[in-house]
Amino acid sequence: MSHQRNRIGEVWVRAPARLHAGFVDLNGGLGRRFGSLGIAIDRPAIVLRARPADRLTVSGPSADRVRRSIERLVREAGLPDAVAVTVEEAIPSHVGLGSGTQTDLAVATALTCLEGRGTAARDLARALERGARSGIGLAAFEQGGVLLDGGRGGLDAAPPVIARAPFPEEWRILLLLHRGGHGLHGAPEVEAFRRLPPFPPDAAAHLCRLMLMVALPALAERDVERFGQAIGELQRTVGDHFAPAQGGRFTSPLVAEALAWLEAQGIAGVGQSSWGPTCFAIVGDAALAERLAGEMRVRWAGSPLEVMVCRGRNIGATVRNLSAEAEPAPPIRRAAGE
């Protein structure tokens, strides 16, 4: 970890939301448990700017959440709290899009940049106790794309990324949000994991094989049908295992109804992100995605269902120095490929 001081007057950070498409080994009989497949998406995102100030001030959406993150960083990492933070955009909380991890990492990155510390995201995640089960949020922040992590082993560290591929530029993701709905989090989430029955080892073996021999090759070959079928099977297997804790395969009956409609239209790659209620559908081209989204908005008009058309994001968080004199906003760090 570098402690070289090169303080910055104002910094801007944008970090992507992520989809958690499911765990591949909830059995853990081989010494590693969980293992996650996830996708970084281009929106929603946490976008904030920070500058030194006489005292801590936070404004904008999710200001209270950002303030708590700063206060924890002050305690855990010794960072100063004399900053002014403006939140320009926020990821909805507790809906399955990884808002907690992305917000914590965005805030931590902004504060360490202001201090001139070259601290890596993984070091920040350890201080914030992120990556307890899944490494997808951290990997989405670092590099984006479609990500498969290797689960928790014996080390006290976030699960390692064992495969990463770009999400095809021509594909789209339909994001289905249940306005006002929330998934399990905090103590109820911990209790839900404790109460779940053992996951069958043969099912875990099949899901691992499904990812290695179907999903990842289909992604490499840009075969949206086969990739979608693999995602759909992963979702059905894991969703049925979690059904006692979340009231069914999917948390929101409304969103489940919308997913069933999409499957009837021939879209195989549907599922729920994390504990939901946010769900998603992977569509092979932009025109079809826009048509389906338009039909859904009409069909479920007046309901809490919100439909967004998203892209995959194949880079991680973007960090810019807004106070540099040479250019209006030259990058401090860009993810590979940007």
Side-chain angles (χ1 to χ4, degrees):
M1 182 187 304
S2 169
H3 293 284
Q4 180 182 0
R5 292 294 189 268
N6 184 17
R7 289 184 172 86
I8 293 168
E10 188 172 18
V11 65
W12 179 92
V13 182
R14 183 186 194 278
R18 63 92 182 106
L19 300 177
H20 188 282
F23 293 113
V24 300
D25 189 350
L26 285 162
N27 177 268
L30 297 180
R32 306 193 71 93
R33 192 174 179 218
F34 301 117
S36 303
L37 183 76
I39 305 170
I41 56 178
D42 69 337
R43 63 187 186 123
I46 174 73
V47 182
L48 57 83
R49 61 179 66 211
R51 58 179 175 80
D54 294 333
R55 60 186 178 84
L56 174 60
T57 62
V58 185
S59 61
S62 295
D64 289 343
R65 174 67 183 81
V66 169
R67 179 182 289 273
R68 291 195 299 272
S69 181
I70 294 171
E71 291 170 348
R72 184 170 185 182
L73 282 162
V74 171
R75 294 193 306 270
E76 302 294 334
L79 291 170
D81 63 355
V83 294
V85 178
T86 301
V87 184
E88 298 177 353
E89 298 178 33
I91 302 170
S93 298
H94 308 309
V95 299
L97 292 174
S99 65
T101 296
Q102 301 309 305
T103 299
D104 279 348
L105 291 175
V107 169
T109 298
L111 267 58
T112 54
C113 284
L114 289 180
E115 279 291 285
R117 300 188 189 183
T119 308
R122 288 189 172 268
D123 295 325
L124 301 172
R126 189 175 297 111
L128 294 164
E129 298 180 353
R130 290 296 173 181
R133 297 185 187 92
S134 167
I136 298 303
L138 174 57
F141 188 90
E142 290 180 322
Q143 56 190 307
V146 182
L147 303 148
L148 180 66
D149 78 47
R152 293 284 297 192
L155 298 178
D156 183 21
V161 175
I162 57 174
R164 188 264 179 198
F167 189 86
E169 292 292 335
E170 68 274 18
W171 293 7
R172 294 294 183 269
I173 296 166
L174 289 177
L175 205 61
L176 281 57
L177 300 103
H178 185 148
R179 289 188 297 270
H182 294 91
L184 287 175
H185 60 278
E189 178 185 13
V190 173
E191 179 64 13
F193 271 104
R194 191 186 70 80
R195 288 179 172 272
L196 286 173
F199 194 78
D202 56 341
H206 175 66
L207 292 181
C208 290
R209 184 184 181 199
L210 185 70
M211 293 300 101
L212 180 63
M213 298 306 295
V214 181
L216 294 179
L219 185 64
E221 294 176 347
R222 296 176 180 261
D223 184 341
V224 71
E225 184 67 21
R226 288 287 285 160
F227 182 73
Q229 289 170 353
I231 296 299
E233 185 172 350
L234 171 66
Q235 282 282 320
R236 288 188 294 273
T237 304
V238 176
D240 289 348
H241 181 71
F242 282 103
Q246 61 186 19
R249 181 177 291 172
F250 305 113
T251 297
S252 165
L254 171 65
V255 180
E257 179 186 338
L259 289 184
W261 182 84
L262 283 167
E263 288 184 295
Q265 311 310 305
I267 305 300
V270 303
Q272 175 175 288
S273 181
S274 189
W275 289 102
T278 300
C279 288
F280 62 88
I282 299 168
V283 182
D285 68 79
L288 176 58
E290 293 290 351
R291 179 177 67 78
L292 291 169
E295 292 182 20
M296 295 177 76
R297 290 175 187 130
V298 171
R299 189 179 185 91
W300 280 277
S303 78
L305 182 69
E306 180 180 351
V307 184
M308 298 169 58
V309 180
C310 306
R311 298 169 181 259
R313 180 173 168 91
N314 290 322
I315 59 174
T318 304
V319 186
R320 300 183 190 277
N321 178 358
L322 297 183
S323 60
E325 296 179 357
E327 297 178 26
I332 297 169
R333 173 183 60 79
R334 287 179 184 264
E338 185 180 19

